Each structure stands twice: as structure tokens, then as C-alpha cells.
Amino acid sequence: MKKLSGSILNPLFNLYNFVLFMLDDSQKSITSRFDFIDGYRGFCALVVAIHHIVLFHRSTGDLKIFVKAGFYIGVAGFFVLSAFLLTYKMTKELDKSQNWTEVKHIISKYFIRRIFRIYIPYMFFVTCVTFGPTIVKGTYKEYNTWLNLALLQPTLGNHLWTIPVEIKYYFMIPIICLIFKLSGKYWLPIFFSSLGVMYYLYHTYLFFSKSDASISKSNKLYVRFPIFYSGSLVAFLYYKYEKWENNLKIIITKRFSRFVLCICSYLMAFYGITHFSPYYNPNLNMYKDSLHPGIKFSLLLLVMLIGAPNDFTRLFGENFFLKKFGKYSFGIYLWHPMCILALKYYKIGRQLDAVTFVLFLSFLCGFLFYYLIENPMMKLGNYFIQKLNKNTNADHITHI
């Protein structure tokens, strides 16, 4: 009888442990000074999702302000934020390195994290789109082949177009960070020189056609490179600011200075919404001057970083909804077109009701995708990083 009860309880116990493993957040122990970043990311994801929902629902309402704002504000915000976070972390790690072996070790860990954090979950979705039921494609009818999507070829006019472009920039970050590290005390002249050269080249020699910027036909990085690069520049500036020790920094950290920076953040956010939204600016052409969106969003991010905490950053950092939306933003971004398709089967007349319904479904998909796919993959990536650390330490001891 005891053997029988044990044979029944063991699978249940194993299932219980498996569920705990899946729900154990791999990022729970990660602490960061950037408490508002998840909320900021959530805001970008929200803008992108509402943009697509309103386009599909096609009803009149005040939310038409979000039409195309998902591209001009949400996607550009994602690009800047992603570049900032990755560049900042690598800059901080490289600054502590003592030799080229440690540099190679840091870069190896960086690519392991990117593969398991982004590429494998992305390929899981690509596999579902290619071989799964038609409903997974959501509101988009055309996707490239599985192999072409895996090779980061143009995605053929669906929401996945941002991912190949972003992954390509991942390969630029170690190069940019190494140049910054090797520049030493000459980092500031190199910083401004790179910015000036970029402006000059993009306004003289690096011309591109409308098809080069097309999200359906092109996966070219150089068209969007200035948006990413501006996020990396902010990472360098803020890292230097953290190490900066003088009386001016003490003044900046005072309450009144934070208040001024808070007001500046609100004004810059208002400027961004009114100048980068086709609702307010119908003739807007982001790629006519491909530099300005990234520079403006990056300046806002820098002011937020220096001025935090204040009322503006608390708007994102203490907003439970935006923080959770940011935490599960990758899954929400991948699956929200499928959720929008639900409006085809459930006739919802009111625009606000339709948006609320789809956002709830998207959040649920993002939550499940995070704990079933993203979180296990991040844990697997951490496992390989631990193995890499052990091998590196063993080699170091052998050489000693």
C-alpha cells in the first residue's frame, strides 16, 4: 500500500516542483537603480498595441491619436531603451576588466544572454507562426519562410520586422563599448566626434530610398542605426555621470534640481507626443531626418535618469499596470496580433471596450509566454554562463 501511495505521490510531487521551477522568476534577484525602466517599456508596448488595435477596429473615437504612434513613438522608444540598457551593462562590466581574456569572457556571456533571452523565444514564435494554426498569424496574412525568419531576413510586412533589426544592433554593441573603453580619457572628444560624423554622413553620403526604410521589404540596420546609437550614447554619458564626483553633481541631486528636471521631462514628453505623432503632425516623415527621433527620445531618457526619482519617473516606476506590461512586453508584442483577431469573432462596438478586451488577452499571453518560454530560457542561459564561469576560473587557476 505504501509503495502504491508513493508511486502516486511521486509524479504529483515532481509536477509540483516543475510548476515552482517555471514560476520562479529568473530576474527576481536583479536589482537596478532604474526602477522606472519597466514602466517606460510598458508604455512603449502599450502604445504599439493600441496602435494596432485601433487600426483593426476601424471605429471612430479619441484613441485614433494612437494610429501610427506605435511606430513613431513606441518602436523608437523600444530601440532607444534596448540600446541604452545593453550598452550600459556592457560598459560597466568592461570597465572592470583587466585583460583581453576577461573582455572575451564578458562578450561571450553577453551573446549567451541575448541568444536565450531574445533569439530562442523569437524562434519559438516563428515556429508557431510557420507550422501552427492560422490564428497564430493574427491580423497579418503574410510571413516569410521559417528559414528566412531564422536568418533575420525581411519579415514581409508584419510586426516581427523590428526584431531582426534589433538583433543586428546587438552585434554592434560590443564594438561600440570596446571603442569607448579604449578611448580612456579621450572619451568625450570621441563621443562628440562620433555624433558629428554620424550627422554629417547621414545628411551627405548615406542616402537611402523609401524601400530601404520599408518594414515589409527591408531589414537594413543602417536606416535605423542612429536611433539605436543615440541610446548607446546616453548609456556612456550616464555611466560617466555616475562616476562623476564634484560640487555640480551634488547640486543636481538636490530636491529643487530634481523638480526642475521633472518639469523638463514633462515638457520633453509633451514635445515628443506632439511632434512625433501623425495625429498632430500629418506630414511627419521619420526617415527624412532619421536622426531626430532617437536623439529626442534619448535626451528625455537621460533627463529621467539624472532626475530620478521624481513625479515623472514615479508615473512609470510606481505604476503597477505599466511595470507588469513592461515585464511581459516581449510576449505581448509577439502575440498581440493574434489577440486582436479575437475582435473578428467577438463583435465589440465601442472602441474603448475593444482596446480593453485585447489588452487583457495580450497581457495574459505575455504572462504565459514569459513563464513558459522566456523564463526557462533565461534560466538555461544562466546555466551555460555558470558553466562558462567555472571553465574560465579553472583555466585561470591552471595558468597560475
Side-chain angles (χ1 to χ4, degrees):
M1 189 68 180
K2 288 183 179 180
K3 290 184 178 180
L4 180 61
S5 61
S7 63
I8 295 174
L9 290 176
N10 282 339
L12 293 176
F13 183 73
N14 292 334
L15 178 62
Y16 174 74
N17 287 334
F18 176 75
V19 172
L20 288 181
F21 172 79
M22 297 295 283
L23 294 178
D24 182 35
D25 194 347
S26 61
Q27 295 186 312
K28 67 180 179 181
S29 61
I30 297 176
T31 58
S32 174
R33 292 181 58 191
F34 315 133
D35 292 333
F36 60 88
I37 290 295
D38 263 346
Y40 181 80
R41 185 188 290 112
F43 172 78
C44 293
L46 193 66
V47 171
V48 172
I50 295 177
H51 154 66
H52 289 141
I53 297 167
V54 173
L55 279 178
F56 183 83
H57 194 251
R58 296 184 180 276
S59 63
T60 58
D62 293 335
L63 294 179
K64 63 184 179 181
I65 187 176
F66 286 94
V67 173
K68 293 187 179 180
F71 174 64
Y72 287 88
I73 296 175
V75 170
F78 265 125
F79 285 170
V80 168
L81 187 58
S82 177
F84 164 77
L85 289 171
L86 296 175
T87 304
Y88 175 84
K89 184 171 184 179
M90 176 161 283
T91 300
K92 200 169 185 177
E93 292 180 350
L94 287 177
D95 197 37
K96 299 176 183 177
S97 62
Q98 302 296 322
N99 50 57
W100 282 105
T101 302
E102 292 184 5
V103 169
K104 290 188 289 184
H105 183 66
I106 290 168
I107 294 175
S108 298
K109 291 195 296 183
Y110 163 80
F111 281 113
I112 290 173
R113 290 192 188 100
R114 291 298 90 203
I115 289 170
F116 285 91
R117 179 67 182 90
I118 297 296
Y119 187 73
I120 293 180
Y122 162 70
M123 285 309 302
F124 175 85
F125 180 80
V126 166
T127 302
C128 291
V129 163
T130 307
F131 303 107
T134 306
I135 193 173
V136 177
K137 295 182 178 180
T139 54
Y140 299 103
K141 297 180 179 179
E142 189 176 11
Y143 287 81
N144 212 329
T145 64
W146 186 92
L147 182 59
N148 283 336
L149 291 174
L151 295 175
L152 307 180
Q153 295 298 312
T155 61
L156 303 184
N158 49 69
H159 67 305
L160 297 181
W161 73 270
T162 62
I163 297 174
V165 176
E166 185 167 336
I167 291 177
K168 287 181 178 182
Y169 188 74
Y170 292 163
F171 291 92
M172 299 297 301
I173 288 176
I175 299 172
I176 294 170
C177 291
L178 280 173
I179 292 172
F180 181 76
K181 176 180 171 60
L182 295 173
S183 64
K185 62 181 180 180
Y186 302 107
W187 72 271
L188 195 58
I190 290 177
F191 175 91
F192 285 109
S193 298
S194 68
L195 192 61
V197 169
M198 184 174 65
Y199 257 106
Y200 175 75
L201 290 177
Y202 273 85
H203 285 286
T204 52
Y205 298 106
L206 295 180
F207 294 114
F208 48 83
S209 65
K210 187 176 180 180
S211 63
D212 290 331
S214 170
I215 63 175
S216 59
K217 301 176 183 178
S218 172
N219 63 340
K220 295 178 180 178
L221 172 62
Y222 88 93
V223 180
R224 291 101 182 175
F225 178 82
I227 302 177
F228 286 105
Y229 187 60
S230 60
S232 293
L233 292 181
V234 168
F236 298 142
L237 278 178
Y238 186 71
Y239 180 70
K240 286 296 183 181
Y241 168 80
E242 281 190 313
K243 299 178 68 176
W244 195 19
E245 295 180 2
N246 61 18
N247 293 330
L248 182 59
K249 185 174 180 179
I250 296 173
I251 294 173
I252 292 174
T253 57
K254 295 293 184 181
R255 182 177 294 181
F256 178 74
S257 300
R258 292 189 186 280
F259 171 75
V260 173
L261 291 170
C262 176
I263 297 299
C264 290
S265 298
Y266 277 112
L267 292 175
M268 293 176 71
F270 177 78
Y271 176 88
I273 291 172
T274 54
H275 284 74
F276 300 129
S277 170
Y279 180 81
Y280 290 102
N281 189 0
N283 298 320
L284 179 65
N285 183 350
M286 177 183 283
Y287 295 117
K288 188 176 182 181
D289 178 7
S290 64
L291 303 175
H292 69 79
I295 296 296
K296 299 297 194 304
F297 286 126
S298 297
L299 286 174
L300 172 59
L301 179 59
L302 181 62
V303 172
M304 290 170 69
L305 289 163
I306 295 175
N310 58 47
D311 286 343
F312 187 79
T313 58
R314 290 190 190 100
L315 181 66
F316 300 100
E318 296 181 5
N319 188 309
F320 178 82
F321 174 74
L322 286 181
K323 286 180 72 175
K324 291 300 180 183
F325 226 77
K327 184 179 181 67
Y328 310 131
S329 59
F330 191 42
I332 290 171
Y333 182 77
L334 292 175
W335 294 97
H336 79 274
M338 183 188 74
C339 299
I340 294 173
L341 197 62
L343 296 176
K344 183 177 180 180
Y345 304 101
Y346 298 95
K347 304 298 182 181
I348 301 176
R350 291 172 60 89
Q351 188 181 73
L352 184 60
D353 293 341
V355 169
T356 304
F357 174 69
V358 174
L359 288 180
F360 172 76
L361 291 180
S362 301
F363 181 86
L364 182 61
C365 289
F367 173 84
L368 294 173
F369 189 73
Y370 180 85
Y371 282 106
L372 296 178
I373 304 299
E374 293 180 71
N375 195 43
M377 288 301 101
M378 284 188 282
K379 289 181 178 180
L380 188 57
N382 291 336
Y383 169 78
F384 284 110
I385 288 173
Q386 289 174 5
K387 296 284 286 184
L388 181 65
N389 289 336
K390 289 180 180 179
N391 293 335
T392 304
N393 292 334
D395 291 341
H396 178 69
I397 293 171
T398 303
H399 284 102
I400 291 175

